[in-house]
Amino acid sequence: MPGLPPGTPAQRLTIMLHATEHAHHHSLAVELLARAKRAHLAGATLLEAVEGRGRSGMLHRQHLFGEDTPLSLLIVDDKDKIAAFLDQNHDALAHTVIILDDVTAFRGPPRPPCS
């Protein structure tokens, strides 16, 4: 990944959103993706789900004419950069579900250690 040497301990930030969520008259998901780019984070991907179920038990799914589509924004970088991104975007993230995972970043399959 750009900015992270292979085998580097990193953090994966997953932000759960809906297509109907907006910030400053723009899609919140697209806005957060742009903010991640401006913050020079190592990697960010916006995924659109076929369907999802949240705490309410309500089923959210793609519709031909609706915008209830569940989205996931995945961002990977070192812990300090992820923490700074969360701090700088606290206002936009107030009503989202956030998942943080410690990960190891690789490009391609990890190689076994040399013996």
Side-chain angles (χ1 to χ4, degrees):
M1 301 191 80
L4 289 175
T8 300
Q11 199 164 61
R12 177 178 51 212
L13 167 64
T14 305
I15 304 169
M16 309 301 288
L17 304 152
H18 289 279
T20 56
E21 294 177 282
H22 290 82
H24 308 291
H25 308 289
H26 299 287
S27 161
L28 178 58
V30 173
E31 176 64 24
L32 288 169
L33 186 63
R35 291 181 186 189
K37 181 178 180 179
R38 287 193 302 269
H40 303 287
L41 296 178
T45 302
L46 180 60
L47 303 173
E48 184 176 81
V50 174
E51 67 181 35
R53 189 177 308 272
R55 178 176 53 185
S56 69
M58 185 177 185
L59 185 64
H60 302 276
R61 61 175 60 172
Q62 292 179 340
H63 296 284
L64 185 59
F65 299 107
E67 291 189 359
D68 194 28
T69 305
L71 306 172
S72 295
L73 178 58
L74 281 70
I75 301 172
V76 176
D77 210 314
D78 67 50
K79 288 182 180 185
D80 293 337
K81 284 189 167 185
I82 294 291
F85 181 80
L86 287 170
D87 188 50
Q88 293 164 359
N89 294 286
H90 185 267
D91 60 323
L93 298 170
H95 301 288
T96 63
V97 174
I98 295 172
I99 302 166
L100 286 172
D101 298 299
D102 292 328
V103 297
T104 304
F106 289 95
R107 181 176 291 278
R111 294 190 170 92
C114 297
S115 48

